[in-house]
Amino acid sequence: MGNVKISVIVPVYNVENYLEDCIESVISQKNFQDIELILIDDGSTDQSSKIIKKYTESYTNILGYYQENAGQSKARNKGIQHAKGEYIYFLDSDDLIPDLAMKHLYNLAVKEDLELILFEGKSFFDKSVDNMKIGNMNYERNKVYDKTLNGQDLFIEMTVNKDFYASPCLQFIKKKVLLENSIYFLEGIIHEDELFSYQLLMKSRKVKCIKDKLFYRRIRLDSTITSLNYERRIESLTKVIQKTIEFNSDLKEITVEMDNALNSRVNHLLGQCIIYCTKMSLNDRRKHYVQLKNIRFIIINNGYSIYRKYIFYFKHPEIYRISQKILNIIRKIKKS
């Protein structure tokens, strides 16, 4: 293949029912001739491997690679290593993109010499999901960001407006930024997006955030996004917190606004851990409460201040849990 403008990287694991739809949404791109589609088979045991082979034999710009099952992070990292495109886009193997997505993003990136474009998306329910039990997960920001900004400045604004989304499926990335800053996905965990997307934004110098919905997320029962493995979620997020703190320690010239944003980021991750802990059985809550106390000490010892509501959790974990359940019930009543 000639000059590759975009590398679309898709990790694949046991998605035989969805993979063809995902691949076809990339093939239907108006600039598909400028795209290489990299499919990383993460040790699938269903028919996914055969589907990959069918497409790689039919298209010279669809490439397939195999690895023993090691998780999405390793698969994406392998994709980065093989990518020849100037820009990279990460797509999950059960999701879709509209026909004009890649052409629109590439033209905008080249025209304005952007290192990163953030955009919006929407979700749709697979037939396996009872949408009365799982809320809709659309990706719409509260504010319009119409300027090209340094990534750190945009992070501050998005933190204030609660507009930061960690999904790399909402990012069009100049490969050079990843390589020059050694930004890869932390392997062996879930919630790896929380670290990768944060580091990427903080290291990008020319970033634009647009309102276009260029990504369609499929919500299904057996995907990572709907998994209820709270223990693994907490284990992963505590590692993300530690890596975030390490990353922040190398930042220069931190303003008051940035300091507040960094503190908010760490508290956000801690808050997710607490939410998952409150949903566990009593014995598991006690076990992970100790783990969260340890991460609390790491946060405090590195100069961060913990929000009052989380201080209350550490003093009265069961009262906090009950109060959160009551608040959730009230929110559901208000929405109904």
Side-chain angles (χ1 to χ4, degrees):
M1 177 178 183
N3 183 37
V4 179
K5 295 178 179 177
I6 306 166
S7 297
V8 177
I9 298 172
V10 180
V12 176
Y13 180 70
N14 289 353
V15 283
E16 61 182 7
N17 294 328
Y18 313 107
L19 183 55
E20 291 198 38
D21 285 348
C22 174
I23 293 173
E24 289 293 337
S25 80
V26 178
I27 292 173
S28 69
Q29 295 302 297
K30 300 304 181 184
N31 59 338
F32 183 60
Q33 71 279 359
D34 300 322
I35 296 172
E36 65 171 359
L37 173 57
I38 300 175
L39 303 166
I40 309 294
D41 182 1
D42 185 32
S44 296
T45 57
D46 65 356
Q47 298 299 308
S48 295
S49 300
K50 290 184 178 179
I51 295 171
I52 292 173
K53 183 179 180 183
K54 180 182 77 172
Y55 279 97
T56 55
E57 289 177 347
S58 301
Y59 295 88
T60 58
N61 57 338
I62 299 182
L63 310 171
Y65 298 93
Y66 176 85
Q67 66 180 29
E68 296 292 333
N69 181 246
Q72 184 168 251
S73 292
K74 191 173 182 67
R76 284 173 171 168
N77 288 340
K78 190 180 187 77
I80 295 172
Q81 292 164 7
H82 287 285
K84 296 182 178 66
E86 181 185 0
Y87 288 87
I88 285 178
Y89 176 64
F90 295 102
L91 179 63
D92 289 346
S93 54
D94 52 353
D95 298 329
L96 309 169
I97 49 176
D99 295 350
L100 289 169
M102 293 297 103
K103 183 175 183 179
H104 175 54
L105 290 165
Y106 180 80
N107 288 344
L108 178 61
V110 171
K111 179 182 177 182
E112 301 194 21
D113 189 27
L114 301 172
E115 294 183 338
L116 175 64
I117 302 175
L118 306 179
F119 49 95
E120 297 186 347
K122 59 183 179 180
S123 61
F124 65 99
F125 291 102
D126 183 64
K127 60 185 179 182
S128 66
V129 175
D130 181 352
N131 59 13
M132 297 300 291
K133 295 180 180 179
I134 300 177
N136 207 10
M137 301 178 185
N138 284 330
Y139 303 90
E140 298 177 356
R141 294 184 172 86
N142 299 310
K143 183 184 173 183
V144 175
Y145 303 87
D146 53 3
K147 296 180 181 178
T148 298
L149 295 171
N150 175 283
Q152 294 188 15
D153 293 333
L154 183 56
F155 172 70
I156 292 172
E157 283 197 39
M158 286 188 162
T159 299
V160 171
N161 298 309
K162 297 182 180 179
D163 272 343
F164 177 74
Y165 289 120
S167 172
C169 299
L170 301 170
Q171 303 159 1
F172 192 72
I173 307 162
K174 194 162 191 174
K175 183 176 67 176
K176 183 179 178 182
V177 179
L178 300 179
L179 300 182
E180 288 185 347
N181 295 285
S182 298
I183 299 174
Y184 296 95
F185 292 90
L186 184 60
E187 298 180 7
I189 67 167
I190 57 176
H191 289 294
E192 71 280 357
D193 297 353
E194 294 284 0
L195 182 63
F196 174 88
S197 298
Y198 170 69
Q199 292 178 331
L200 171 62
L201 181 56
M202 295 291 281
K203 288 294 185 180
S204 298
R205 289 163 295 188
K206 294 186 70 176
V207 186
K208 192 150 198 173
C209 180
I210 59 178
K211 293 294 290 181
D212 306 62
K213 291 179 175 59
L214 302 176
F215 166 66
Y216 302 149
R217 164 80 72 184
R218 184 193 305 269
I219 302 176
R220 58 187 179 91
L221 284 179
D222 51 349
S223 68
T224 304
I225 196 171
T226 53
S227 169
L228 301 181
N229 190 338
Y230 297 130
E231 181 171 3
R232 191 177 178 207
R233 286 176 179 272
I234 291 172
E235 295 286 348
S236 297
L237 282 168
T238 52
K239 290 180 181 178
V240 171
I241 289 172
Q242 293 178 71
K243 290 293 184 181
T244 298
I245 290 172
E246 289 176 18
F247 176 83
N248 290 349
S249 66
D250 291 330
L251 297 176
K252 311 295 183 184
E253 300 178 4
I254 297 177
T255 63
V256 173
E257 292 79 11
M258 176 57 75
D259 188 59
N260 290 335
L262 298 180
N263 199 71
S264 178
R265 182 67 192 154
V266 171
N267 272 274
H268 167 75
L269 297 169
L270 176 63
Q272 287 188 62
C273 291
I274 291 172
I275 289 172
Y276 295 137
C277 191
T278 61
K279 295 178 181 293
M280 290 177 153
S281 66
L282 179 59
N283 286 339
D284 286 339
R285 289 203 302 272
R286 287 172 175 169
K287 171 187 171 184
H288 287 284
Y289 173 75
V290 174
Q291 182 181 4
L292 293 186
K293 284 181 71 176
N294 291 335
I295 199 69
R296 177 192 65 173
F297 288 130
I298 291 174
I299 291 171
I300 293 172
N301 289 340
N302 280 275
Y304 297 87
S305 58
I306 294 178
Y307 290 168
R308 286 183 181 179
K309 60 182 177 180
Y310 301 144
I311 292 174
F312 181 83
Y313 165 78
F314 286 111
K315 289 182 177 179
H316 310 286
E318 288 305 303
I319 296 176
Y320 179 91
R321 184 181 69 87
I322 294 169
S323 67
Q324 290 302 302
K325 287 186 71 173
I326 294 171
L327 285 173
N328 287 333
I329 292 172
I330 293 172
R331 291 189 190 105
K332 286 181 181 178
I333 293 172
K334 287 182 177 180
K335 286 182 179 179
S336 62

